[in-house]
Amino acid sequence: MSRHREPSADPAPRAKRQRVRDAEDPETRYSQASGRDHVPELFSLERPISPPLARRNSKASMNASPEIISTMQSEAPVEVQDGNVKLIPSPFHLTRVRDLPSSSNVDAVGLKDILGDPMIKECWQFNYMFDIDFLMSHLDQDVRDLVHVKVIHGSWKKEDLHRLSVIDAAKRYPNIELITAYMPEPFGTHHSKMMILIRHDNSAQVIIHTANMISFDWTNMTQAVWRSPLLPLFEFGSKGPKQRLSSNVSEIGTGARFKHDLMAYLRAYGQGKTGKLVKELEKYNFSGIRAALVASTPSKQRLEGSKSSDVLWGWLGLRRALACIACGPTPSGDRPRVVVQVSSIASLGQNNKWLTETFFNALSTASIPDPSKALASPQAFPQKPKFSVIFPTAEEIRRSLDGYHSGGSVHMKIQTAAQAKQVAYMKPYLCHWASDAGVPPPNTSKPPPGARQAGRNRAAPHIKTYIRFSDSSTDRIDWAMVTSANLSTQAWGAAPNASGEVRICSWEIGVLVWPELWKERGSSPDHSEIVSMVPVFRQDTPSVTPSGKQGSEKRTIVGIRMPYDLPIAPYTEDSMPWCASSSYAEPDWRGMTYNTGGV
């Protein structure tokens, strides 16, 4: 049994892949009995919706603050004030997993929650894999044929089976336009996963996530979604939109900078492909966004000489963003911990030079909370973090909801001598996806004592997260990122060459957040408000104990929804990462074996 869907991120041209679709999934099925020429019952009239604002009120909508506009979206997270403590729900959401109990799907989102709003007028879909029928089935069925859908993909080879299937399916929908991304690198992929929605209520929305646009990815795999608030139009005057970019465009973490970087990313596709979208988005106010955009485009960048307003891609852009985040030493002097959690690890070389000297070094970047104290006390400098890489073993794939079938989305090659050397130098970093890995039956569902459970042990990971915990207790978070980028030089960029250039092959996109973004805007530097970020489990909103409410200081606690249990469990000496190109004779829990016909 062999299912290869997502690229392995190794430097090899993308293989032809077969479309995966679960026609029996009730969430993806829509009425076939009536046919496309039959006028169906208007199901959206069975629920209340917010109609477009009347023309006479359109100016009020344009001037509305992002906070007011965001209330139009019923699924938006809600802040909770508990005494002197403000609780902020996680900016990242897990997707709903079909075969898990409802207790594990609290606050989780489905694709219908994102695309099923009849207010959507235009839908731009950026992704690696598409099932066009699956995508269209999640639009509101009353407006499905009216929404302008743009599908941006990277399948440029004429004989590519995925490209041919997308072209054939798109013929059934006159409102779909296919756009092939610029792919100058033979070993690169269009791996970004993003939706941009233009709505009838004079607002727009950006969604960045980790799932391919196919049923399999939205059914039983662990995925994540970040959704911007609904972004209102700028006020229009006789000379066009005012204040499209504020003076603080260089401040990473602001909505203005997010917009600046997103526009640069979209322009990289070329005027003929995304020019209309760029022009449209210029009209919208991004000030409600609290995040930094971290993306990659096929490019070559100079290591030195960039201006603060220049957009940097890959690990260079990540390093610059992390340099804005203050990470002070812990009271105990304990080292921080950066946890890299991915679904694919590429061939990184026979030694750890790129991994440690380039990528881990970039992930170690931090600013000093109080530079004035750094000269007097070396302890004021943040410590270098300890690194861990979460990746499932074959045992964890066998026990996942879809068994070996889910393994086609998880990639690391371990067969050759060079690959074995990579496994050897990565072994000290590798940790299990499931906290109960290695627990013998019948106790396989019991996590170790003291584990904080995320409820996703059995849902194999296609999610990609990068999180810096303040110390080994993993109780506080310095920053967190959700992205499409796996652990590869194609995604993040190679080490600088002799000319100081960094080469990036693929398209990727992600979102980075940290506690300071939720400080009250406009407050003075000596403002007493304390903002912290904490991991949350099985729900999006953090909680606070009675003792945590004591004191007069204002406190804000921001949750980060965890996809894996804490503490994480390192590999044992006998543990080996899952390899989708190997064969496994031991049956999965469904009784299936895995045979690739190879090693």
Side-chain angles (χ1 to χ4, degrees), residues 198-391:
I198 309 297
R199 297 166 52 91
H200 288 289
D201 56 3
N202 294 326
S203 66
Q205 188 175 36
V206 180
I207 298 100
I208 292 173
H209 60 105
T210 63
N212 286 292
M213 199 49 64
I214 58 177
S215 174
F216 185 84
D217 275 28
W218 292 86
T219 303
N220 278 335
M221 302 292 285
T222 299
Q223 308 279 7
V225 172
W226 173 87
R227 291 191 285 182
S228 77
L230 297 186
L231 309 171
L233 284 168
F234 278 115
E235 179 184 358
F236 273 70
S238 58
K239 295 182 180 179
K242 298 178 180 178
Q243 300 176 341
R244 286 182 177 176
L245 289 177
S246 66
S247 59
N248 65 346
V249 67
S250 62
E251 295 180 18
I252 293 174
T254 63
R257 181 62 194 229
F258 188 99
K259 180 177 184 178
H260 175 268
D261 293 349
L262 178 62
M263 293 302 194
Y265 173 85
L266 294 174
R267 289 190 185 100
Y269 286 92
Q271 172 66 25
K273 299 180 186 294
T274 55
K276 291 181 180 179
L277 178 59
V278 170
K279 185 177 180 181
E280 178 66 23
L281 288 179
E282 285 284 8
K283 305 172 185 176
Y284 293 88
N285 184 346
F286 279 58
S287 64
I289 291 178
R290 301 172 189 256
L293 190 78
V294 178
S296 296
T297 67
S299 58
K300 293 180 181 179
Q301 298 181 106
R302 301 289 302 179
L303 187 60
E304 305 293 343
S306 61
K307 297 181 294 185
S308 61
S309 59
D310 293 338
V311 179
L312 298 178
W313 308 121
W315 65 262
L316 284 173
L318 174 61
R319 185 179 69 175
R320 174 190 275 176
L322 295 180
C324 301
I325 304 174
C327 299
T330 59
S332 64
D334 194 7
R335 290 172 65 189
R337 187 171 194 173
V338 173
V339 179
V340 173
Q341 175 275 306
V342 292
S343 63
S344 181
I345 301 175
S347 296
L348 305 177
Q350 296 187 42
N351 60 57
N352 65 356
K353 190 176 179 65
W354 179 86
L355 182 66
T356 60
E357 296 181 14
T358 299
F359 193 58
F360 282 178
N361 188 54
L363 286 171
S364 300
T365 306
S367 71
I368 303 168
D370 189 348
S372 63
K373 295 180 180 179
L375 295 176
S377 173
Q379 285 74 31
F381 286 95
Q383 289 184 293
K384 288 291 185 182
K386 177 183 178 181
F387 286 90
S388 300
V389 178
I390 293 180
F391 194 84

Side-chain angles (χ1 to χ4, degrees), residues 5-7 14 111 114-115 123-132 134-135 150-156 162 166 178-183 189-196 207-215 217-218 223-225 265-266 269 462 464 484 507-509:
R5 305 182 305 97
E6 197 61 61
R14 191 172 69 81
L111 188 55
I114 301 170
L115 295 180
C123 174
W124 290 73
Q125 290 284 343
F126 299 75
N127 219 308
Y128 174 73
M129 291 192 70
F130 286 93
D131 179 334
I132 296 296
F134 171 77
L135 165 63
K150 317 288 185 180
V151 170
I152 296 88
H153 63 95
S155 302
W156 58 273
H162 177 252
V166 167
L178 300 180
I179 300 171
T180 305
Y182 174 57
M183 301 296 300
T189 58
H190 184 260
H191 200 243
S192 296
K193 291 161 177 62
M194 176 171 64
M195 314 178 205
I196 298 180
I207 298 100
I208 292 173
H209 60 105
T210 63
N212 286 292
M213 199 49 64
I214 58 177
S215 174
D217 275 28
W218 292 86
Q223 308 279 7
V225 172
Y265 173 85
L266 294 174
Y269 286 92
H462 191 261
K464 296 92 172 145
S484 63
W507 298 86
E508 307 281 359
I509 199 159

